[in-house]
Amino acid sequence: MSHRAPGADRLPVLAASGGELDRLVGEGARTVGAGAVWAVGDAGGTLGGGSHGVLGQGPYARLRPGPDTLYDLASLTKVVALWPCAGVLWRSGRLPPDEPLGRWWKPAAGHPAGAVTARQLLAHTAGMLPYTRFERLYGRDPEAIRSGVVAAPLHRPPGTAVEYTDRAAVLLTHLVEDLGGGPLDELAERWVWRPLGMADTRYGPLGAALAARTAPTEYEERAGTHLCGVVHDPSARLLGGVCGNAGAFSTARDLARFLAALLAPPPELPWGGGWIEESLREQTGGLTPARGLSWLYAPGTDPAEGTFVHYGFTGTGFWVSRRLGRWALLLTNKVHYDRGIQQLTDLRNAFRQAVFG
């Protein structure tokens, strides 16, 4: 299903305060039941945006979201932290994309994960187990979890199916940290966030001042409260809060900088240029759903249109199209209320259609 995209001249009109997109998100946010922040832009930056609703229930009902509200990005972390760091290593020749890991990376040698390639991990075609279940299988020690992921049997032969799994990102985190010589939060700060001026973006747990402007996520029985400034994803929490699959917090303001850079990478960006072009094209060999590297072709669009998306379980999402020269983001904390997804899916699809066709 494909719909004609609005021209570049129409985008500022669509994105104007009180305009079509603002009304669409406002009505959608009421249906979804969670507050929402949205923005649309191009290579030059933000063309328009807005926010609706409140941050949550109880004490959060007095707080309204905005462009400086921090959101638990959930799986958008895969794109905002892990993917560009992998790109730095790829571009510098330290991360061979198509050599099975076991041939060149010692921790994978002799293990099932040694049969997969970095490209397959990024495209979710590595055949790794589709579930995590880390605490039940490996306990609570981060090193035991990392070793368990490397040693786990494959679910199916690499390159035979597209199957999205957090295990791919956990394995890639181990690999990127080893090759990069430091923890992922430090690498992402050095290579991604600081060069782009993303001053609000970081891994948790957040301090009190930042938590005060953070959207709360789900009620957590162990903590006895709603999580706020502590990562929602249980696998990332087991791994100390810093992982490639989840754990980063960011704002609409910072994500706008990141998405604009995908369309016009600063020349000094160590993961720009060819890495972005390589990633935002089909990497799944005709398997469905079609994916790039880390990115998914947006559902409801023809892959030939080149509109990519990534979603986060907490209620976050962003889109980019190099062909159309535009990006969009829609941030909610839907999981704060419940895990029902259909109304958020409907809003996401309507928002994407209005911006990208």
Side-chain angles (χ1 to χ4, degrees):
M1 187 172 71
S2 175
H3 305 271
R4 186 173 174 80
D9 57 326
R10 284 265 298 128
L11 264 192
V13 179
L14 277 174
S17 179
E20 183 180 326
L21 287 175
D22 206 36
R23 290 195 303 273
L24 187 155
V25 175
E27 291 164 12
R30 279 194 295 276
T31 305
V32 168
V37 180
W38 68 274
V40 170
D42 57 17
T46 302
L47 292 170
S51 54
H52 296 273
V54 297
L55 276 189
Q57 306 167 86
Y60 301 106
R62 298 191 299 272
L63 304 175
R64 294 190 167 274
D68 62 345
T69 300
L70 283 148
Y71 281 85
D72 180 335
L73 295 184
S75 282
L76 298 197
T77 302
K78 294 178 174 75
V79 172
V80 171
L82 182 60
W83 167 68
C85 287
V88 173
L89 297 166
W90 184 311
R91 285 187 67 196
S92 64
R94 285 175 278 175
L95 183 67
D98 299 309
E99 276 288 307
L101 300 187
R103 291 187 193 166
W104 61 276
W105 187 49
K106 195 173 178 183
H111 293 294
V116 309
T117 68
R119 189 186 304 272
Q120 289 166 341
L121 290 170
L122 286 157
H124 289 280
T125 57
M128 300 189 77
L129 293 169
Y131 52 79
T132 49
R133 301 178 192 162
F134 289 157
E135 186 170 3
R136 192 187 322 166
L137 292 169
Y138 314 125
R140 298 183 62 83
D141 176 57
E143 279 307 313
I145 293 168
R146 277 189 277 270
S147 299
V149 169
V150 172
L154 295 181
H155 184 56
R156 59 178 86 242
T160 58
V162 180
E163 202 155 31
Y164 183 86
T165 171
D166 282 349
R167 282 175 175 259
V170 172
L171 180 56
L172 266 172
T173 302
H174 188 6
L175 178 61
V176 164
E177 290 183 334
D178 198 24
L179 299 179
L184 184 61
D185 55 344
E186 293 178 13
L187 299 177
E189 173 69 23
R190 185 190 323 151
W191 290 339
V192 190
W193 305 336
R194 196 183 306 139
L196 295 179
M198 296 168 66
D200 287 327
T201 306
R202 67 200 65 213
Y203 278 93
L206 304 180
L210 290 174
R213 59 180 175 99
T214 298
T217 57
E218 204 165 29
Y219 186 84
E220 218 280 315
E221 290 291 344
R222 278 186 188 173
T225 185
H226 284 94
L227 296 171
C228 187
V230 176
V231 61
H232 174 264
D233 182 86
S235 300
R237 240 180 298 154
L238 279 172
L239 290 162
V242 176
C243 190
N245 75 301
F249 291 79
S250 190
T251 60
R253 185 171 55 200
D254 271 11
L255 294 177
R257 293 175 181 268
F258 179 83
L259 293 164
L262 302 185
L263 301 176
E268 68 281 3
L269 201 65
W271 49 277
W275 171 246
I276 296 170
E277 292 171 20
E278 178 76 4
S279 300
L280 295 179
R281 67 177 182 83
E282 198 262 334
Q283 295 281 352
T284 40
L287 299 170
T288 55
R291 299 190 70 99
L293 299 179
S294 285
W295 293 84
L296 171 70
Y297 281 95
T301 68
D302 185 327
E305 296 167 10
T307 301
F308 287 87
V309 69
H310 211 294
Y311 303 120
F313 186 80
T314 48
T316 56
F318 51 34
W319 298 256
V320 66
S321 170
R322 286 169 59 82
R323 189 178 70 81
L324 293 172
R326 66 190 59 163
W327 56 263
L329 62 88
L330 179 63
L331 306 176
T332 83
N333 57 332
K334 175 69 172 74
V335 77
H336 176 72
Y337 299 90
D338 58 54
R339 292 192 173 192
I341 195 68
Q342 190 56 55
Q343 287 159 330
L344 179 58
T345 299
D346 293 343
L347 172 58
R348 284 167 165 171
N349 289 340
F351 181 68
R352 183 271 307 158
Q353 185 179 322
V355 179
F356 297 95

